[in-house]
Amino acid sequence: GSTLQAAAAESGRYFGTAIAANKLSDTAYTTIANREFNMVTAENEMKLDATEPNQNQFNFTNGDRIVSWARSNGKQVRGHTLAWHSQQPGWMQNMSGSALRSAMLNHVTQVATHYRGQIHSWDVVNEAFADGSSGARRDSNLQRTGNDWIEAAFRAARAADPNAKLCYNDYNTDNWSHAKTQAVYNMVRDFKSRGVPIDCVGFQAHFNSGNPVPSNYHTTLGNFAALGVDVQITELDIAGSGTSQAEQYRGIVQACLAVSRCTGISVWGVRDSDSWRSGDTPLLFDGNGNKKLAYNYTLDALNAG
Ligand code: G3I
């Protein structure tokens, strides 16, 4: 394949990107996005603060713009995200207990219902585990409603959109030996054993020199897949430049291709200038839209699979 999406499709996988609604009028941006990618994640537009700015008053304007662009260009959509401790609207930030639990479940139900039939996979719950060595849940207002809040969110999402794949999504879960990775693994194993509806696990994959691509990445992906879930790399970006950055991108692609249930890879933006951390130049196209060495290594690795 001569594009990322075509090369990934040769092994039945997708290659995606985050899209920002306010850039859909930038034709340099949409030309690259349309040519290279066949899966789209809304970078911010489907989050809680964007979709429910006032309680029970929903705003799908910008999320719908992204879905519309995706559908009219033949792309699938990853929904991001239904329940998260961050980017909550102000009214939710100060809620607690059963009122918050009800509000969270209502949010999951209303948003998943609005997009029913249009979402390939939902990041139902995002970033619910703590960093560091504790292996604990992250403390948050949602966690304080009870440890079962995650499975409650998954059940509500399944009821609202039975055909969407339901994913748990997190970062720093790449290295198999890390406590956070083990904790998420144990949750997924428990969910599968008890019939909680979960279909997939997303690995955000935000890498930098302090958090490099681990050499055991294929082990992590393979062990999760062996639980009976699909795995996806969902927000890939790697700080750096040149050969070092390109080789790390190649390593990620090779790890995914080595696991049959690794069904796709998405990068977290189109050009370096579109990145949430643009100073790290972490993406596959430079600010002028030129293909970087990391692009060539990624494409070659996809084609070699
Ligand atoms: O929309 C407002 C705009 O009106 C205002 O003028 C501007 C001024 O700062 O802020 C704009 O909102 C910003 C928004 O991005 C859109 O650009 C927010 O301040 C900013 O916090 C927000 O950052 C996003 C971040 O999530 C927030 O948590 C990034 O774009 C987005 O890339 C990032 O994505 C997250 C994933 O959802 C979850 N995984 C980690 C990843 C990277 O942090």
Side-chain angles (χ1 to χ4, degrees), residues 205-217:
H206 297 293
F207 295 109
N208 55 42
S209 55
N211 177 40
V213 179
S215 59
N216 61 14
Y217 207 28

Side-chain angles (χ1 to χ4, degrees), residues 22 43-44 47 80 84 86-87 126-127 169 171 204 206 235 268 276:
N22 63 9
E43 188 173 2
N44 289 294
K47 292 174 178 175
H80 176 80
W84 190 20
S86 184
Q87 279 184 280
N126 195 41
E127 301 176 1
N169 192 57
Y171 65 90
Q204 293 185 10
H206 297 293
E235 305 180 11
W268 203 238
W276 66 296

